[in-house]
């Protein structure tokens, strides 16, 4: 594997080049935002770069897709007075010592009652996870019903922490959502779910995939950018 790059306008596109016994050049963008190029063994490097440059607009578009699935929420402090997001709104933490462990939100506050303040972080993370499990299912259900017109249905909706992605769709049709997504507004969550539902039909980010996503959520780009900005 060789590390190479091309310059496309003001952008530099880095890619990993592998030569193999194949007839044509192939380009793959991974969820980790790696650009993988596989070329026939006898292809000159300048020809490879020429073809990569021709696909540059498409590559940049795919990288942009995956960028929105990279959680970038800065580490917050788990102390009274610190603000934390829930469904796109800022809530201020209230931490009090009590005889039980409990988390609830009231007004613009998330109240954490704990026997020991050292548990504040784990209690809040579990609260987010519990809320995500309920809310994601509520938000996903009408979208899943809508996609039945395409004769597809996910095998299930699962919650799993993912360091570099907001959601994923497995080859077996399971949709996995990052619990951190519960911090974003509802339309952002809808965007991620619709994105993954589209993968039940088109596995790659082809033009048909983009067309379908646009058909099902015309303003998806707005919420994609909102997601990037809110949790950046």
């Amino acid at each position: 594997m060789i590390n190479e790059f091309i310059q496309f306008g003001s952008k530099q596109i880095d890619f990993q080049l592998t030569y193999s016994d194949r007839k044509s050049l192939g380009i793959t963008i991974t969820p980790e935002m790696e650009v993988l190029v596989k070329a026939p063994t006898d292809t000159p490097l300048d020809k490879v770069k020429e073809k990569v440059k021709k696909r540059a607009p498409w590559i940049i578009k795919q990288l942009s897709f995956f960028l929105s699935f990279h959680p970038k929420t800065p580490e917050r402090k788990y102390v009274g007075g610190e603000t934390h997001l829930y469904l796109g709104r800022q809530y201020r933490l209230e931490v009090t010592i009590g005889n039980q462990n409990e988390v609830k939100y009231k007004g613009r506050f998330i109240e954490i009652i704990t026997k020991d303040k050292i548990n504040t972080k784990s209690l809040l993370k579990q609260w987010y996870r519990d809320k995500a499990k309920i809310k994601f299912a509520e938000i996903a259900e009408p979208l899943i019903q809508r996609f039945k017109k395409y004769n597809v249905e996910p095998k299930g909706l699962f919650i799993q922490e993912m360091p570099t992605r907001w959601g994923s769709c497995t080859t077996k049709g399971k949709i996995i959502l990052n619990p951190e997504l519960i911090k974003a507004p509802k339309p952002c969550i809808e965007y991620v779910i619709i994105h993954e539902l589209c993968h039940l039909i088109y596995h790659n980010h082809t033009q048909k995939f983009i067309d379908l996503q646009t058909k099902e959520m015309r303003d998806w780009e707005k919420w994609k950018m909102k997601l990037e900005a809110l949790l950046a």
Side-chain angles (χ1 to χ4, degrees):
M1 188 175 290
I2 308 166
N3 292 319
E4 290 290 346
F5 72 92
I6 63 159
Q7 200 69 33
F8 184 74
S10 60
K11 292 183 178 292
Q12 177 177 305
I13 299 176
D14 297 297
F15 63 92
Q16 297 177 14
L17 173 61
T18 303
Y19 288 102
S20 62
D21 185 17
R22 54 185 294 142
K23 293 183 178 180
S24 60
L25 182 141
I27 301 175
T28 303
I29 314 299
T30 73
E32 289 71 37
M33 298 180 68
E34 296 174 320
V35 181
L36 307 180
V37 179
K38 292 184 179 180
T41 305
D42 57 352
T43 309
L45 180 57
D46 60 336
K47 290 292 184 182
V48 171
K49 289 191 173 185
E50 182 182 327
K51 291 189 177 182
V52 172
K53 198 163 188 174
K54 284 183 179 178
R55 299 296 305 281
W58 175 83
I59 292 170
I60 291 169
K61 186 176 287 188
Q62 305 319 304
L63 289 172
S64 179
F65 265 114
F66 284 122
L67 180 62
S68 69
F69 285 74
H70 281 230
K72 297 170 285 185
T73 308
E75 185 66 30
R76 301 292 179 102
K77 296 178 181 178
Y78 295 84
V79 296
E82 176 69 287
T83 58
H84 286 258
L85 288 166
Y86 174 63
L87 290 176
R89 299 180 67 186
Q90 293 275 4
Y91 291 84
R92 195 172 298 278
L93 283 190
E94 278 188 352
V95 183
T96 57
I97 298 297
N99 295 322
Q100 59 186 5
N101 292 321
E102 185 181 2
V103 181
K104 54 187 177 180
Y105 69 100
K106 55 179 183 178
R108 298 310 298 269
F109 294 89
I110 295 177
E111 182 182 10
I112 299 179
I113 302 169
T114 176
K115 298 177 182 179
D116 190 332
K117 287 187 177 181
I118 198 171
N119 298 323
T120 301
K121 181 177 180 179
S122 60
L123 286 170
L124 184 58
K125 286 181 74 69
Q126 185 58 49
W127 181 81
Y128 273 134
R129 192 178 183 90
D130 292 341
K131 286 292 183 183
K133 189 173 183 179
I134 296 169
K135 289 292 182 181
F136 292 171
E138 289 178 359
I139 295 169
E141 183 54 30
L143 300 175
I144 291 171
Q145 292 301 319
R146 191 202 302 176
F147 269 74
K148 284 185 178 180
K149 65 190 175 190
Y150 301 113
N151 297 316
V152 296
E153 185 176 357
K155 298 297 183 184
L157 194 69
F158 301 87
I159 307 297
Q160 180 182 314
E161 290 187 9
M162 295 177 282
T164 61
R165 303 179 73 180
W166 288 119
S168 69
C169 181
T170 71
T171 54
K172 294 184 178 180
K174 295 179 180 179
I175 289 180
I176 302 171
L177 299 175
N178 191 327
E180 287 287 296
L181 190 59
I182 195 64
K183 299 176 182 179
K186 181 182 175 182
C188 292
I189 300 171
E190 290 177 329
Y191 155 63
V192 175
I193 294 172
I194 287 172
H195 183 97
E196 300 308 335
L197 285 169
C198 288
H199 276 311
L200 293 174
I201 304 167
Y202 300 110
H203 300 302
N204 299 313
H205 295 122
T206 60
Q207 188 59 51
K208 287 184 178 180
F209 174 94
I210 296 170
D211 291 343
L212 177 61
Q213 181 170 262
T214 302
K215 179 182 177 182
E216 293 300 327
M217 190 177 197
R218 294 201 172 276
D219 58 350
W220 66 265
E221 289 181 285
K222 168 186 173 182
W223 296 108
K224 168 181 172 291
M225 290 188 289
K226 179 75 174 178
L227 182 60
E228 293 173 359
L230 185 68
L231 299 178

